[in-house]
Each structure stands twice: as structure tokens, then as C-alpha cells.
Amino acid sequence: MSCLKCLKYTMCVVNFVFFLCGAAIFGLGIYMSTTSKYMSIFPSLPVVNLASVVFVIGIFVTCVSFLGFLGALKENRCLLISFFILLFLLMLAELIVACLLLLYEKDIDQYIEKDLKNSMQQVRTKNESTTIDWNIIQKTFKCCGINSSADWESSVPTSCCQSTPCQAKYWKEGCYVKLKNWFESNLLGTGITVIIICSIEVLGMCFSMTLFCHISKTGLGYK
């Protein structure tokens, strides 16, 4: 019985911490959506931007952790099984996304390159519908254009300049190569992070199912 109480309060504490983290992520998503317009690297999918992704993650983490906290605290079978199902679906979605990224890696590269070209064309024609802020990308990654400064033709932005004043000294590497190298260099860290997240999800599923089985055996039923 003492071990089950320890398990119960451990679930409460851990889920409460995740609830606070989810609320912070949710607040960050709101802040990003109100302070920055250009947060997407996919012009053809303007809705799928960094702010909206952070916003949705914050809502999901908050709701799931609340279910786990309240289910463990009240020893409610319905809330515990809901918590288990949501964690299982989340882990399944993560595995599907990882498999799709591995299977369609080349197609994704071509898709990103095509979107970058479309966005640049929109900037050159002064179309405000583009969701890429080229100035931020070029300053952050110290690159110019998609493949080189020649992509901008005669209207090279000042964010391509290596120094001030510019004197036509632009960054030699294109942003496509820089972005690709950045993603590849962070691939290991991303993989480790995903493994840690999956491990936490598996532990949460085990804890919730253990409590669920204990409540069922003791005949407490739904509270």
C-alpha cells in the first residue's frame, strides 16, 4: 500500500510540473502569435507556423498532465484510462512522424527548396503573403538567397551583407544549404530528446495503468 501511495503522489507531482510547463508553452505560443507574423518556413502552409505549433503543444501538454494529476489524486479510473490512451496515441503519432521523415527525406528536401523559391519570388514581386522573413533567416544563418546572392538578381537585401557598410560583400553560402546543415547537425540531439520524451510517456502509461488496476481490484470503481 505504501508503494502505491508513493506512486500516486509521484504521478501527482510529475504531472503538476508538466502542467506548469504546458501552461508556460501555451503562453509562449500566444506571445509569438501576437508579436511575430513571419514564423513559418513553409509558404504553402501558412497555418502551420512555429507559433501555432507551440500553441497546440502547450494546450495538449496542459490537458494531458491535468488528466494525469487529477486522475491520480482522486484515484479516478476514467481519468486514468483517458490519460493512458492520450499518451499512447501521442507516442504512436511520434513514431509515425519519425518513420515518414525517414521514408520521405528527399521529398521533404525538394519541398522545402520549392517553398523557398516561391517565397523569394513573392518577396521580389513585393507580395506580402509570404510567411518567411528572409532578413531574419539570412542574418541568423549568415547566408544569402537560396543557393547564393545571385538568386536575388539586382535587389539583394542588406541582410545578405557581411559587414556595414555593405560594399557588395555578401555571404557566399545559400540559405538552403545552411538550413539543411543546421537540421542535420541537430539530428542527434533531436533523436535523444524524442527518446527521453518517449521514455517519460512509457513510464506515465505504466504508472497510470498500475493505479488503474489497483483501483479495479480494490473495488473503488468510479469516483
Side-chain angles (χ1 to χ4, degrees):
M1 186 66 68
S2 59
C3 291
L4 287 169
K5 283 186 177 180
C6 180
L7 182 63
K8 170 184 173 179
Y9 290 113
T10 299
M11 270 195 71
C12 289
V13 172
V14 171
N15 279 289
F16 181 72
V17 172
F18 275 102
F19 177 83
L20 294 178
C21 292
I25 295 171
F26 176 74
L28 179 62
I30 295 176
Y31 173 78
M32 290 170 65
S33 63
T34 55
T35 57
S36 181
K37 179 182 177 181
Y38 304 102
M39 298 300 294
S40 176
I41 62 172
F42 301 107
S44 59
L45 296 172
V47 178
V48 184
N49 54 59
L50 186 58
S52 63
V53 169
V54 172
F55 183 80
V56 171
I57 290 174
I59 292 176
F60 188 83
V61 171
T62 302
C63 294
V64 173
S65 57
F66 179 76
L67 281 176
F69 172 80
L70 196 61
L73 184 66
K74 297 294 184 179
E75 296 185 2
N76 188 301
R77 289 196 303 167
C78 183
L79 293 178
L80 286 172
I81 198 65
S82 299
F83 176 74
F84 175 88
I85 292 171
L86 286 174
L87 282 183
F88 177 76
L89 292 176
L90 177 60
M91 189 169 65
L92 189 63
E94 290 170 355
L95 292 174
I96 292 173
V97 170
C99 291
L100 290 175
L101 288 174
L102 290 173
L103 287 173
Y104 298 100
E105 183 179 359
K106 292 183 179 179
D107 294 334
I108 292 171
D109 285 345
Q110 294 174 359
Y111 176 78
I112 292 174
E113 187 177 12
K114 180 182 176 182
D115 270 0
L116 289 173
K117 289 179 179 178
N118 291 337
S119 175
M120 181 171 287
Q121 182 63 31
Q122 290 174 348
V123 172
R124 285 204 297 259
T125 56
K126 297 182 179 180
N127 188 339
E128 295 296 330
S129 63
T130 180
T131 55
I132 292 182
D133 192 329
W134 279 96
N135 290 325
I136 291 178
I137 291 177
Q138 290 175 151
K139 287 179 180 178
T140 303
F141 292 95
K142 297 180 179 180
C143 57
C144 187
I146 300 172
N147 299 305
S148 67
S149 58
D151 294 327
W152 289 108
E153 297 177 355
S154 59
S155 56
V156 183
T158 55
S159 57
C160 279
C161 298
Q162 295 184 19
S163 59
T164 305
C166 189
Q167 298 177 346
K169 292 182 179 179
Y170 306 126
W171 301 110
K172 295 181 179 180
E173 274 194 282
C175 293
Y176 171 70
V177 175
K178 282 276 189 174
L179 286 169
K180 186 177 179 180
N181 292 338
W182 183 82
F183 281 116
E184 288 177 353
S185 63
N186 288 277
L187 191 60
L188 178 61
T190 304
I192 293 173
T193 303
V194 170
I195 291 172
I196 293 173
I197 291 173
C198 287
S199 301
I200 294 172
E201 290 167 357
V202 170
L203 285 174
M205 290 165 62
C206 293
F207 286 3
S208 62
M209 191 50 60
T210 302
L211 279 176
F212 178 85
C213 294
H214 166 68
I215 295 168
S216 299
K217 286 181 180 179
T218 53
L220 294 176
Y222 296 95
K223 287 189 176 183

